[in-house]
């Protein structure tokens, strides 16, 4: 685990690990996940308690999402179940997808989001860094259904919604066995050595947020809709 107090320290940590991984190893890319607390690294569907079998519930959720309000869904023109899961994930549907970003500063913004932060004593935010290699991206989505994946992989979604593009969004997707076991990504054999946790104390949030704004990272650039604009204006003009 690393701990940072500023944006510059954060970028230095990432740069150092990229240099280390570049020595003798082939690293495809780093992806980042900001969390307002040190929560388990599992997707939303694994954090909930279903009323019946988890995998059956997952299939039912997807089918009902596709069936209900088709005019609302059709606006985003999903082509397959990978698109439907991507769309559902961004609107809060419990899925086996876990959000990541190619943009380190976007992840830091999510980690220091004061609107959803727990202020309990000793609480802190984290950014997870996944130091992925080329094989982690080897996912043939044209010939594979999301529920039939056999290994945890990183999924690059089609840009069916503008916020995916603004957030440089990608997802990790776990196989059914790990979903049922509620297996945390950092505890799996394939990824435990590829993950770095960066800790950010609450007292540094305000300065970090101000610096991120200077760098062009704020609620409106991440959520390019009215909700994002209103959140940004509230941050800008109120304490």
């Amino acid at each position: 685990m690393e701990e940072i107090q500023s944006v510059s320290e954060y970028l230095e940590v990432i740069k150092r690990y990229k240099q280390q991984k570049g020595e003798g190893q082939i690293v495809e890319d780093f992806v980042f996940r900001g969390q307002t607390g040190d929560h388990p690294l599992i997707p939303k569907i694994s954090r909930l308690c279903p009323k019946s079998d988890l995998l059956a519930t997952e299939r039912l959720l997807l089918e009902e999402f596709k069936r209900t309000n088709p005019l609302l869904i059709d606006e985003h023109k999903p082509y397959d179940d990978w698109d439907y899961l991507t769309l559902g994930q961004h609107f809060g549907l419990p899925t086996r997808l876990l959000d990541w970003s190619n943009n380190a500063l976007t992840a830091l913004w999510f980690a220091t989001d004061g609107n959803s932060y727990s202020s309990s004593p000793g609480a802190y935010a984290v950014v997870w860094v996944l130091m992925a290699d080329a094989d982690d991206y080897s996912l043939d989505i044209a010939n594979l259904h999301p529920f039939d994946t056999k290994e945890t992989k990183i999924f690059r979604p089609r840009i069916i919604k503008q916020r995916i593009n603004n957030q440089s969004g990608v997802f990790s997707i776990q196989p059914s066995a790990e979903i049922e076991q509620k297996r945390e990504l950092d505890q799996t054999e394939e990824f435990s050595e590829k993950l770095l946790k960066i800790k950010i104390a609450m007292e540094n949030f305000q300065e970090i947020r101000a610096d991120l704004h200077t760098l062009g990272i704020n609620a409106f650039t991440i959520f390019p809709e009215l909700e994002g604009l209103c959140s940004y204006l509230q941050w800008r003009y109120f304490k």
Side-chain angles (χ1 to χ4, degrees), residues 11-119:
L11 295 176
E12 281 297 320
V13 168
I14 294 169
K15 181 178 180 181
R16 173 158 46 88
Y17 275 83
K18 281 195 171 185
Q19 290 173 339
Q20 292 174 0
K21 289 295 180 181
E23 297 174 0
Q25 298 186 43
I26 299 176
V27 178
E28 175 73 10
D29 202 359
F30 282 20
V31 293
F32 309 88
R33 174 177 171 79
Q35 298 184 168
T36 54
D38 196 355
H39 311 302
L41 202 54
I42 55 177
K44 183 176 182 178
I45 199 164
S46 294
R47 299 195 296 268
L48 302 175
C49 296
K51 295 179 180 179
S52 59
D53 178 76
L54 177 60
L55 297 182
T57 300
E58 180 184 36
R59 292 185 180 276
L60 179 61
L61 278 174
L62 180 58
E63 290 307 312
E64 284 297 290
F65 181 68
K66 292 160 64 175
R67 183 187 68 82
T68 310
N69 296 321
L71 294 178
L72 294 177
I73 294 176
D74 188 59
E75 175 187 349
H76 303 281
K77 296 180 174 59
Y79 290 154
D80 55 25
D81 282 351
W82 292 96
D83 284 355
Y84 277 108
L85 283 181
T86 298
L87 189 60
Q89 176 77 2
H90 277 285
F91 281 104
L93 186 74
T95 78
R96 65 174 63 193
L97 301 180
L98 192 63
D99 294 277
W100 298 82
S101 175
N102 290 118
N103 190 319
L105 296 181
T106 294
L108 185 59
W109 185 91
F110 276 108
T112 56
D113 180 8
N115 292 325
S116 56
Y117 181 74
S118 171
S119 58

Side-chain angles (χ1 to χ4, degrees), residues 220-232:
F220 191 41
T221 62
I222 290 176
F223 299 103
E225 299 151 350
L226 284 176
E227 179 184 0
L229 174 59
C230 293
S231 179
Y232 163 68

